């Protein structure tokens, strides 16, 4: 990553952390991330709908959309890059309502998710899609906290150091994908 | 008559599945390097640098370059004078099972496709495409395909009057709609003609070429050039952050079709353009 405009954040996040971010900011996250993708999201949202507690405290947390490869003996985790976030759009607003402050993935979010981000003060980051070997090096610890039966889709708690992401959607309606394409599109 | 034992096929498929996931082709590495030269966007150059470093690490540390180690697509070209001892398809599935286990690759297959979508636990079944060819060799190609890019693929039955312009418009719309989701820079396979299912097969087969290797037909090659230019003007860029390098390659395969039809299939591949082959 190049060195300009770099923000250092520790996770979990506060409202102040989130509202200080703008789309395009390069951020290095140190602290805790939770891994969840399609199947785990469906289960989390059913718990919320039934008024039951979640398997982890979601206040201020960041969810990283990833299904890692199995760790080789002696490693913390396998390859661990982001998956396409749009598949989690149906579930994300309910989780933000419950206290989620950040999401890491790749690809565009729906209008509903972006509105929920502004309303609930949460931010959407992208990590580099397909750079799973590189990103895994920034993960210091990984443990399954729920849904081990889902295999690669289990919820894991990660400890990361200087995990590189870029802000795609901030709480003010900014969208890096739209901005970037508008800047480089040629007739 | 030449004979091979199916256990050799199993071992070969297992090896190719692991190699495809750990060793990015030199053609893709070169495409990243030349893309970096012409990319105007600093964020885009940064992404290409990360992808080069990622490919280097995956090879050095023997880990998958991407966590989505794919649905295994296996192409077999079986020589008609070859005798295989044992069950060919079972041998291939067993190779996938062994490779995905021994290589610490992710098991990404669920069955049935609707709820409860239970993980099959060994990444089988692979999709197998078999063709009988002259000779006595067996050519095996393993191409692990990620879900994110496959989801952005599309097929349309055009009216013949729409012609190349209609096909071009549909391909551009498909890439534009995909935007950042399929992990650009992309390799785009296009199947033009045939029928409904054959156009999709041709689009997949087009992805087996070396990146940006042009069609042997000069007319088709010219269309590939034009389409690559058009796609790179969309502004999507590496990771979709805006930029000039959206497509590393566009590969078109054509086939004759019915007088009433003009099928076009677009199979999008991410930058992890993975395929390895062996000839037994």
């Amino acid at each position: 990553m190049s060195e300009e405009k770099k923000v250092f954040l520790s996770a979990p996040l506060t409202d102040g952390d989130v509202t200080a971010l703008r789309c395009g900011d390069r951020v290095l996250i140190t602290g805790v991330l939770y891994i969840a993708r399609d199947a785990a999201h469906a289960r989390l949202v059913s718990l919320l709908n039934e008024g039951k507690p979640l398997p982890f405290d979601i206040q201020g947390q960041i969810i990283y959309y990833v299904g890692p490869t199995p760790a080789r003996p002696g490693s913390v985790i396998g390859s661990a890059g982001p998956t396409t976030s749009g598949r989690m759009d149906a579930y994300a607003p309910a989780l933000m309502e419950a206290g989620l402050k950040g999401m890491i993935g790749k690809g565009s979010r729906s209008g509903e998710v972006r509105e929920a981000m502004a309303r609930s003060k949460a931010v959407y980051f992208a990590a580099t899609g397909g750079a799973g070997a590189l990103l895994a090096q920034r993960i210091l610890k990984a443990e399954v906290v729920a849904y081990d039966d889902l295999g690669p889709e289990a919820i894991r708690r990660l400890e990361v150091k200087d995990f590189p992401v870029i802000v795609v959607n901030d709480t003010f309606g900014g969208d890096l994908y739209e901005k970037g394409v508008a800047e480089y599109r040629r007739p | 008559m030449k004979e091979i034992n199916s256990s050799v096929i199993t071992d070969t498929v297992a090896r190719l599945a692991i190699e495809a996931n750990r060793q990015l082709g030199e053609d893709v590495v070169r495409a990243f390097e030349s893309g970096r030269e012409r990319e105007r966007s600093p964020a885009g150059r940064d992404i290409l640098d990360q992808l080069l470093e990622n490919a280097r690490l995956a090879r050095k540390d023997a880990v998958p370059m991407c966590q989505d180690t794919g649905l295994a697509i296996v192409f077999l070209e079986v020589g008609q004078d070859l005798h295989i001892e044992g069950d060919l398809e079972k041998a291939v599935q067993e190779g996938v099972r062994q490779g995905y286990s021994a290589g610490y690759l992710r098991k990404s297959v669920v069955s049935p496709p609707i709820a409860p979508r239970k993980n099959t636990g060994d990444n089988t079944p692979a999709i197998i495409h078999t063709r009988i060819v002259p000779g006595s060799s067996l050519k095996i190609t393993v191409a692990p395909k990620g879900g994110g890019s496959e989801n952005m693929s599309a097929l349309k039955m055009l009216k013949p009057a729409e012609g190349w312009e209609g096909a071009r418009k549909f391909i551009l719309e498909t890439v534009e709609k995909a935007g950042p989701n399929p992990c650009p820079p992309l390799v785009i396979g296009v199947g033009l003609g045939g029928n409904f299912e054959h156009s999709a097969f041709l689009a997949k087969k087009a992805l087996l070429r070396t990146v940006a290797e042009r069609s042997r037909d000069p007319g088709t090659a010219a269309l590939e050039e034009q389409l690559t230019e058009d796609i790179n003007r969309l502004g999507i860029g590496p990771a979709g952050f805006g930029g000039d390098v959206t497509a590393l390659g566009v590969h078109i395969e054509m086939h004759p079709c019915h007088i009433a039809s003009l099928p076009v299939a677009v199979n999008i591949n991410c930058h992890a353009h993975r395929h390895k082959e062996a000839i037994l």
Side-chain angles (χ1 to χ4, degrees):
Chain A
M1 306 270 296
S2 58
E3 294 302 316
E4 77 272 6
K5 274 174 56 187
K6 202 156 271 183
V7 181
F8 292 87
L9 273 185
S10 63
L13 305 175
T14 64
D15 278 5
D17 291 332
V18 169
T19 51
L21 295 169
R22 294 294 181 276
C23 88
D25 285 353
R26 289 153 191 271
V27 179
L28 293 173
I29 301 172
T30 295
V32 174
L33 306 177
Y34 283 91
I35 280 184
R37 47 171 290 155
D38 310 51
H41 272 75
R43 291 192 190 179
L44 292 176
V45 171
S46 345
L47 288 175
L48 288 175
N49 290 341
E50 293 162 21
K52 291 181 181 162
L54 298 179
F56 64 96
D57 180 6
I58 200 167
Q59 291 305 317
Q61 300 298 346
I62 300 174
I63 291 183
Y64 180 22
Y65 302 143
V66 52
T69 59
R72 292 170 67 114
S75 354
V76 170
I77 198 165
S79 192
T83 193
T84 314
S85 308
R87 294 194 317 273
M88 270 55 78
D89 281 355
Y91 310 110
L95 294 176
M96 286 186 256
E97 192 87 5
L100 181 70
K101 286 287 152 205
M103 296 157 280
I104 303 173
K106 55 140 175 142
S108 312
R109 307 311 299 263
S110 68
E112 289 79 9
V113 171
R114 292 200 240 167
E115 282 160 26
M117 287 169 56
R119 197 168 58 238
S120 303
K121 297 212 173 5
V123 67
Y124 171 51
F125 306 98
T128 302
L134 189 68
L135 290 166
Q137 295 202 321
R138 307 293 174 95
I139 299 172
L140 309 180
K141 205 174 157 193
E143 55 178 352
V144 173
V145 294
Y147 313 145
D148 205 9
D149 61 300
L150 293 179
E153 298 202 60
I155 295 183
R156 290 172 171 82
R157 180 182 182 278
L158 304 185
E159 285 176 26
V160 299
K161 184 164 169 46
D162 292 334
F163 192 83
V165 293
I166 187 161
V167 178
V168 173
N169 295 113
D170 57 31
T171 51
F172 306 95
D175 184 296
L176 176 64
Y177 294 132
E178 286 173 4
K179 209 170 114 183
V181 169
E183 193 177 338
Y184 288 94
R185 191 181 176 98
R186 288 171 289 146
Chain B
M1 184 179 272
K2 182 175 156 187
E3 286 205 357
I4 48 174
N5 191 283
S6 60
S7 66
V8 179
I9 298 169
T10 295
D11 294 348
T12 305
V13 168
R15 174 175 64 81
L16 294 175
I18 294 171
E19 284 178 5
N21 274 294
R22 291 178 182 170
Q23 300 169 16
L24 190 64
E26 282 304 316
D27 56 328
V28 187
V29 170
R30 280 195 300 275
F32 287 163
E33 286 166 349
S34 74
R36 201 199 176 286
E37 301 280 306
R38 65 176 190 279
E39 179 55 68
R40 286 178 298 155
S41 150
R45 288 197 298 270
D46 192 28
I47 295 295
L48 292 167
D49 283 341
Q50 288 186 44
L51 297 180
L52 284 164
E53 175 63 6
N54 187 65
R56 193 188 65 79
L57 278 174
R59 192 176 277 264
K60 176 174 83 71
D61 296 344
V63 294
M65 61 192 96
C66 178
Q67 76 291 336
D68 186 349
T69 53
L71 175 62
I73 319 298
V74 181
F75 291 82
L76 302 173
E77 287 183 19
V78 187
Q80 62 191 25
D81 298 327
L82 175 69
H83 179 250
I84 295 163
E85 285 176 89
D87 186 317
L88 173 62
E89 294 221 349
K90 272 191 189 150
V92 171
Q93 300 293 2
E94 183 57 26
V96 169
R97 189 174 290 121
Q98 290 181 11
Y100 274 73
S101 168
Y104 296 93
L105 307 180
R106 195 179 77 182
K107 288 76 182 174
S108 311
V109 177
V110 291
S111 179
I114 50 171
R117 289 176 66 86
K118 196 174 164 350
N119 198 304
T120 61
D122 58 10
N123 219 51
T124 66
I127 307 283
I128 305 175
H129 298 290
T130 308
R131 199 158 73 95
I132 305 292
V133 297
S136 59
S137 301
L138 171 62
K139 183 175 171 189
I140 303 175
T141 306
V142 178
K145 184 66 167 71
S149 58
E150 195 75 357
N151 284 346
M152 296 294 118
S153 303
L155 189 152
K156 193 173 182 186
M157 305 302 285
L158 298 174
K159 293 185 180 72
E162 293 177 84
W164 167 247
E165 259 320 294
R168 177 178 163 275
K169 191 164 159 261
F170 177 67
I171 298 160
L172 287 172
E173 279 168 8
T174 302
V175 174
E176 190 161 25
K177 198 169 143 202
N181 292 9
C183 287
L186 309 171
V187 180
I188 297 156
V190 175
L192 199 56
N195 61 358
F196 181 76
E197 85 278 7
H198 196 62
S199 62
F201 172 75
L202 289 174
K204 180 74 73 197
K205 194 176 152 222
L207 293 178
L208 300 182
R209 281 194 225 158
T210 301
V211 174
E213 178 190 333
R214 290 283 161 251
S215 168
R216 266 176 254 168
D217 171 62
T220 307
L223 297 177
E224 290 172 345
E225 287 286 347
Q226 184 205 338
L227 203 49
T228 308
E229 286 281 310
D230 291 342
I231 288 168
N232 286 332
R233 273 202 298 273
L234 292 174
I236 297 168
F241 296 151
D244 304 307
V245 184
T246 302
L248 299 173
V250 179
H251 306 164
I252 303 174
E253 292 285 330
M254 292 211 202
H255 196 277
C257 65
H258 191 280
I259 49 174
S261 298
L262 177 51
V264 54
V266 185
N267 198 190
I268 294 187
N269 206 0
C270 58
H271 52 71
H273 182 60
R274 298 168 290 199
H275 52 96
K276 295 284 178 201
E277 60 181 56
I279 296 172
L280 300 177

